[in-house]
């Protein structure tokens, strides 16, 4: 069996909400040589994070780890002090990359875009911290769009506009709060800015440390996305 190795230049995760233009952004990033950002996976990674957090946040387990107590066969938490949080997290990240992302040979930056990170608001920051800890060189791109356009788009159009706006505002507050605490980990992009002025993408490419291929960018903008038809 080939030894697992993370992509040499790490991971990029697009964090956003539905109908924000994230598929376009995903397509733009996939024009970069060696980048392979997958689409949505129904927030699968949240459940792996939750499995890790179940161990990390358990008061009895934390107590056993902290005390270094060796449990006996008749202890209700027998053997749980042996659970290694770091190794467990690393194994979950490896499993996700191998089984879900499945980066092709030659991929130097892997990742995906997801519109569901904010569905579990209380876990938003801990989940991103989990990703940052166990997916080496992780970077987050937070993508937003004019609320007036989002509420008219796709499935949102059938919902109460005030509730949609409140949902989008909540998500963006989470994005901005995370960036305020960890500014080096991500960048905030606005769909309306970079679609009107393509040079607005320069900051994104600079953040990623990648050259700007203007021809590839313009070609991507000229292609209509299937799900937008």
């Amino acid at each position: 069996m080939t030894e697992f190795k993370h992509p040499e230049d790490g991971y990029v995760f697009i964090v956003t909400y539905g109908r924000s233009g994230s598929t376009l952004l995903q397509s733009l990033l996939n024009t970069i040589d060696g980048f392979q950002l997958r689409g949505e996976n129904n927030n699968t990674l949240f459940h792996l994070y939750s499995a890790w957090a179940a161990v990390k946040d358990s008061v009895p387990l934390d107590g056993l780890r902290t005390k270094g107590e060796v449990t006996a066969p008749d202890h209700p938490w027998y053997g749980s002090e042996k659970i290694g949080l770091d190794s467990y997290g690393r194994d979950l990240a490896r499993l996700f990359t191998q089984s879900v992302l499945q980066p092709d040979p030659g991929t130097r930056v892997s990742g995906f875009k997801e519109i569901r990170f904010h569905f579990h608001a209380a876990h938003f920051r801990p989940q991103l911290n989990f990703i940052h800890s166990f997916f080496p060189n992780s970077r987050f791109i937070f993508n937003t769009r004019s609320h007036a356009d989002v509420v008219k788009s796709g499935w949102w159009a059938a919902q109460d506009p005030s509730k949609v706006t409140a949902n989008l505002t909540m998500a963006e507050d989470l994005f901005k709060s995370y960036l305020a605490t960890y500014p080096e980990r991500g960048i905030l992009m606005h769909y309306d800015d970079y679609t009107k002025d393509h040079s607005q993408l320069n900051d994104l490419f600079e953040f990623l440390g990648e050259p700007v291929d203007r021809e590839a960018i313009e070609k991507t903008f000229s292609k209509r996305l299937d799900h937008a038809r």
Side-chain angles (χ1 to χ4, degrees):
M1 181 180 295
T2 304
E3 180 184 0
F4 171 75
K5 292 184 179 179
H6 288 284
E8 61 180 297
D9 292 330
Y11 296 85
V12 168
F13 301 91
I14 299 175
V15 181
T16 188
Y17 41 73
R19 310 304 295 180
S20 70
S22 57
T23 303
L24 171 61
L25 185 56
Q26 170 191 313
S27 300
L28 288 165
L29 292 172
N30 279 329
T31 68
I32 303 174
D33 183 48
F35 271 54
Q36 188 178 64
L37 266 67
R38 301 296 193 185
E40 298 162 30
N41 51 64
N42 199 31
N43 213 12
T44 298
L45 191 50
F46 170 77
H47 302 285
L48 296 185
Y49 148 75
S50 296
W52 178 82
V55 175
K56 174 182 177 294
D57 297 335
S58 165
V59 173
L61 290 178
D62 181 61
L64 290 170
R65 284 195 306 270
T66 302
K67 296 175 182 177
E69 180 180 340
V70 177
T71 54
D74 60 350
H75 193 286
W77 296 82
Y78 175 49
S80 57
E81 74 277 4
K82 296 179 178 294
I83 301 174
L85 270 181
D86 287 346
S87 61
Y88 185 30
R90 288 193 298 269
D91 286 345
L92 290 171
R94 173 187 54 77
L95 175 65
F96 180 84
T97 301
Q98 288 183 311
S99 299
V100 179
L101 294 181
Q102 300 189 45
D104 291 336
T107 299
R108 60 184 180 85
V109 174
S110 185
F112 65 92
K113 70 111 166 175
E114 184 57 76
I115 65 173
R116 300 167 179 83
F117 280 105
H118 65 288
F119 282 14
H120 306 276
H123 294 276
F124 181 83
R125 181 175 296 199
Q127 182 183 357
L128 264 57
N129 286 344
F130 168 83
I131 293 172
H132 183 265
S133 294
F134 297 112
F135 291 82
N137 193 21
S138 294
R139 289 153 290 175
F140 302 107
I141 302 171
F142 300 92
N143 193 59
T144 63
R145 187 178 183 179
S146 163
H147 293 181
D149 291 330
V150 173
V151 298
K152 296 182 294 185
S153 181
W155 65 89
W156 291 124
Q159 301 184 37
D160 181 341
S162 64
K163 292 183 178 179
V164 175
T165 299
N167 183 294
L168 302 179
T169 299
M170 179 270 289
E172 291 179 4
D173 286 345
L174 291 171
F175 302 167
K176 293 172 184 176
S177 176
Y178 192 83
L179 277 176
T181 305
Y182 307 105
E184 73 286 353
R185 295 184 185 179
I187 186 171
L188 182 66
M189 301 296 295
H190 192 62
Y191 174 87
D192 304 272
D193 292 340
Y194 60 78
T195 54
K196 291 176 182 176
D197 179 3
H198 299 175
S199 68
Q200 293 291 322
L201 290 165
N202 291 351
D203 288 344
L204 172 60
F205 281 77
E206 182 179 355
F207 168 70
L208 296 173
E210 300 292 339
V212 177
D213 185 336
R214 192 63 57 192
E215 182 178 349
I217 289 173
E218 295 306 324
K219 184 177 180 180
T220 302
F221 273 111
S222 69
K223 182 179 179 181
R224 183 172 174 78
L225 297 173
D226 289 340
H227 78 289
R229 292 191 176 113

